[in-house]
Amino acid sequence: MSLKRPVATALAAALCLVTTACAGSPADKRASGERTGAAGSRAGYPVTIDNCGRTETFTKAPGRVVVMNGASVAEVSTLLALGLGDRIVANEQSYGMSEVPGRAEAVKALPTGDIKLNDAYDIPREAMLGLRPDLVLSTTSYGFDEKNGFATRDQLEQVAARTYVSPQGCKQDTSKMTVADSYTLLRDMGKIFHVSDRAEKLIAASRKRIDEVSAKVKGKKAPKVMVLFSNMSMGGNVFSSVVAQGIYNDILAKAGGTNAFASASRTSFADLSKEKVAATDVDALVVIGYNDPDPAAYARKLLKEFPQWPAAEKNTYVVLSDSMYLGPSNDLAVEKIAKALHPDAF
């Protein structure tokens, strides 16, 4: 699959990205701090968040949330994990698959706002203002750049909308992202919506699971892993969607592995020739599916194409989707990769 250029560009810049159904019942609203009655509805506020050099102050829990595309599912998945699906009036993030049962369907069921998207597959300025949001979430500052045709943070503030750029997204450079940033996103959304107790439970559960897995693989030799996107082109070479830096490497390390192409680029992705890939020892493959109905077939194709790899000899590959991104489910990726790399430890 070769993506249209605006989407490929957004992916290269912004790909970052425990479950619960979309909240909507009175019980869900009570759990999220929205008690009935005018006096109780703002308990716990004001809340102030420092974000990309800006101070955002919330006097109540947002009720008209817009989630911009950003080639991510981090923000919408985080809101769903916190039981806040009923606050979303327009969501432009989609993935089509997930390691979390029911999440892809929950995302698909969210309203989109019936927006005619721009060339970057996101919400243009006038359409955004017409949605009357009180909170707009963007994976990176790209989503608030006037040059891209988007409403700026200042323009949204003028219509009483708060804005939030996810961790490591301020400078549109996700190469230093780690699993801790997923926890920061959860924690910030917990504060903003007055569901910090729920956010902390999710964080604690994730940490516990990751710690248990990491303990089992501690001290074992770390296999060299190639992480790439299935059937995706983002550059000029054959292998232009190979991961070099970012949260992916932190997940690999916690699973007892290391990135075979970490030295290929200082940015999140490397654009590699077939010769470079063939000359590198790859002990295991992690293929990330994005709008590809059969990423496992792509993994098997690569193993057949490079029979000299140790990964091909042992048929070692893992297929993942949203758990490899910024978001609330990194523990699932850590566990699945660790079991593939170190089956004897489980």
Side-chain angles (χ1 to χ4, degrees):
M1 175 185 68
S2 179
L3 291 184
K4 293 183 179 179
R5 185 169 181 82
V7 177
T9 301
L11 274 165
L15 226 49
C16 312
L17 232 150
V18 197
T19 181
T20 179
C22 298
S25 68
D28 288 321
K29 291 183 178 180
R30 285 196 297 274
S32 65
E34 291 283 46
R35 304 182 201 133
T36 56
S41 64
R42 299 190 182 186
Y45 291 92
V47 169
T48 299
I49 299 288
D50 292 324
N51 184 246
C52 296
R54 296 175 65 99
T55 298
E56 298 286 346
T57 300
F58 298 81
T59 58
K60 63 179 180 178
R64 294 187 60 83
V65 182
V66 174
V67 184
M68 299 191 73
N69 184 350
S72 174
V73 287
E75 294 74 28
V76 70
S77 296
T78 297
L79 292 180
L80 289 174
L82 290 170
L84 300 168
D86 63 336
R87 311 301 177 89
I88 299 172
V89 295
N91 168 57
E92 304 309 330
Q93 296 183 354
S94 64
Y95 206 85
M97 56 185 72
S98 175
E99 275 71 72
V100 179
R103 174 162 305 152
E105 293 77 13
V107 171
K108 187 177 180 180
L110 292 170
T112 63
D114 296 322
I115 299 297
K116 182 180 179 181
L117 303 181
N118 59 18
D119 290 342
Y121 295 88
D122 221 327
I123 305 173
R125 180 187 303 105
E126 294 306 318
M128 175 65 77
L129 298 176
L131 288 168
R132 297 180 293 108
D134 56 7
L135 175 61
V136 180
L137 304 180
S138 180
T139 303
T140 72
S141 57
Y142 178 93
F144 299 119
D145 192 332
E146 192 168 25
K147 295 193 301 289
N148 302 323
F150 299 126
T152 67
R153 300 186 77 172
D154 286 338
Q155 289 167 346
L156 286 162
E157 185 176 23
Q158 290 171 10
V159 294
R162 306 275 72 79
T163 50
Y164 180 88
V165 176
S166 288
Q168 302 295 336
C170 299
K171 296 181 179 179
Q172 300 184 44
D173 178 10
T174 59
S175 63
K176 295 179 176 62
M177 186 177 288
T178 68
V179 172
D181 292 307
S182 292
Y183 299 152
T184 296
L185 178 57
L186 269 168
R187 190 166 280 123
D188 283 349
M189 292 302 106
K191 292 176 182 176
I192 289 169
F193 289 92
H194 198 44
V195 290
S196 289
D197 55 342
R198 195 178 305 179
E200 293 303 328
K201 286 179 181 177
L202 292 175
I203 292 168
S206 174
R207 279 181 169 155
K208 181 174 184 292
R209 192 172 195 173
I210 289 175
D211 287 347
E212 289 172 352
V213 170
S214 294
K216 290 181 179 181
V217 301
K218 185 178 180 179
K220 294 184 177 294
K221 183 179 178 180
K224 297 177 181 178
V225 184
M226 180 182 190
V227 183
L228 77 168
F229 287 81
S230 178
N231 286 306
M232 183 183 292
S233 175
M234 293 195 295
N237 284 298
V238 177
F239 292 94
S240 57
S241 63
V242 177
V243 167
Q245 306 294 334
I247 193 171
Y248 319 93
N249 290 2
D250 192 27
I251 289 172
L252 288 179
K254 287 174 166 55
T258 185
N259 189 337
F261 296 95
S263 63
S265 175
R266 292 183 180 181
T267 61
S268 296
F269 295 94
D271 188 3
L272 305 176
S273 66
K274 184 176 179 179
E275 291 74 22
K276 170 67 175 176
V277 170
T280 304
D281 283 336
V282 174
D283 298 313
L285 275 179
V286 172
V287 172
I288 305 174
Y290 179 80
N291 287 334
D292 185 346
D294 195 358
Y298 179 70
R300 292 191 294 268
K301 173 188 169 187
L302 285 182
L303 294 179
K304 186 176 181 180
E305 186 176 356
F306 300 100
Q308 73 276 19
W309 284 349
E313 296 173 13
K314 297 182 179 180
N315 194 38
T316 306
Y317 71 90
V318 179
V319 173
L320 293 169
S321 56
D322 60 342
S323 64
M324 281 294 282
Y325 296 100
L326 179 76
S329 308
N330 299 148
D331 55 313
L332 301 183
V334 170
E335 183 174 43
K336 192 169 182 180
I337 293 171
K339 286 181 176 179
L341 300 183
H342 304 285
D344 57 323
F346 294 88

